[in-house]
């Protein structure tokens, strides 16, 4: 829970969301350091976990509020589970979000935009959320599995070193 990961932005967004829609809950995984969680019954801190997939599966939507990132692996992990994602428009989030409707971006550090996206998704039906999550899962399976990544990596390395695409 730190500044770069946007944890404080998520906290501020939660407080704004609750003013407009008090029935939204936030289920948070990870070590409460250096920033501690909010003290509210709708802010549930589970701490560090070796089974993050269970936490993601218990959620309707995953929020990734990074201020900066290159390519956050949790994005791919959540896609592989098939959940909709609200992500800051930064780093690898920009690239991947262009490939699916299941990743809804907000302008980084823009709490009002993050609040709007959370509230927008809170209005969607279970079927609509599942459809967005399925788009993410399909994208993951088509392009981001370890096997697909390894093939693209090998081709790029071959192109860089040998000037041609290796099979």
């Amino acid at each position: 829970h730190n500044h770069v990961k946007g944890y404080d932005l998520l906290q501020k967004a939660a407080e704004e969301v609750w003013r407009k829609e008090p029935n939204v809950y936030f289920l948070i995984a990870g070590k409460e350091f250096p920033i501690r969680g909010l003290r509210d019954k709708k802010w549930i801190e589970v701490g560090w976990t070796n089974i993050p997939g269970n936490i993601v599966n218990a959620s309707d939507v995953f929020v990734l509020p990074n201020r900066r990132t290159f390519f956050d692996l949790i994005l791919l992990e959540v896609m592989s589970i098939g959940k909709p994602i609200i992500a800051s428009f930064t780093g690898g989030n920009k690239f991947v979000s262009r490939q699916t409707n299941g990743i809804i971006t907000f302008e980084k550090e823009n709490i009002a935009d993050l609040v709007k996206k959370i509230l927008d998704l809170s209005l969607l039906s279970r079927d609509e959320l599942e459809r967005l999550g399925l788009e993410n899962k399909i994208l993951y399976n088509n392009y981001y599995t370890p096997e697909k990544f390894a093939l693209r990596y090998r081709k790029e390395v071959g192109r860089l070193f040998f000037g041609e695409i290796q099979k």
Side-chain angles (χ1 to χ4, degrees):
H1 298 359
N2 62 54
H3 181 79
V4 172
K5 292 289 186 184
Y7 186 75
D8 57 317
L9 299 174
L10 184 60
Q11 289 179 318
K12 291 173 186 168
E15 291 170 334
E16 290 295 318
V17 165
W18 292 332
R19 286 187 187 94
K20 297 175 182 180
E21 178 49 65
N23 293 320
V24 173
Y25 284 73
F26 291 80
L27 180 59
I28 312 295
K31 187 176 178 182
E32 281 188 84
F33 182 83
I35 303 171
R36 306 263 318 147
L38 296 175
R39 300 299 170 228
D40 189 288
K41 67 180 182 178
K42 293 172 289 198
W43 185 272
I44 304 163
E45 288 278 351
V46 297
W48 181 258
T49 179
N50 290 324
I51 48 172
N54 291 357
I55 305 303
V56 173
N57 271 323
S59 305
D60 294 321
V61 173
F62 186 87
V63 180
L64 186 58
N66 293 343
R67 281 186 167 87
R68 291 185 311 271
T69 186
F70 291 108
F71 204 100
D72 202 329
L73 292 179
I74 192 66
L75 179 73
L76 299 180
E77 291 175 288
V78 174
M79 288 172 57
S80 77
I81 293 170
K83 290 292 178 176
I85 300 167
I86 299 172
S88 57
F89 195 66
T90 187
N93 300 350
K94 291 180 189 179
F95 177 78
V96 179
S97 69
R98 291 183 184 115
Q99 299 175 301
T100 175
N101 292 317
I103 299 174
I104 292 80
T105 59
F106 69 95
E107 289 303 318
K108 68 178 183 172
E109 299 191 57
N110 186 328
I111 294 168
D113 194 25
L114 174 55
V115 168
K116 180 183 181 327
K117 301 301 168 50
I118 292 170
L119 290 172
D120 288 349
L121 265 67
S122 77
L123 298 173
L124 296 181
S125 70
R126 174 80 43 216
D127 287 344
E128 291 170 308
L129 291 172
E130 286 179 9
R131 182 185 54 76
L132 293 172
L134 182 58
E135 278 198 44
N136 287 343
K137 189 170 192 155
I138 290 169
L139 177 65
Y140 173 82
N141 287 331
N142 287 339
Y143 295 99
Y144 294 106
T145 64
E147 296 79 15
K148 303 276 177 150
F149 175 81
L151 287 172
R152 282 194 318 277
Y153 182 82
R154 185 172 174 205
K155 285 180 183 180
E156 278 302 306
V157 169
R159 187 183 64 76
L160 290 171
F161 286 103
F162 304 109
E164 58 187 58
I165 297 178
Q166 300 294 305
K167 295 184 180 173

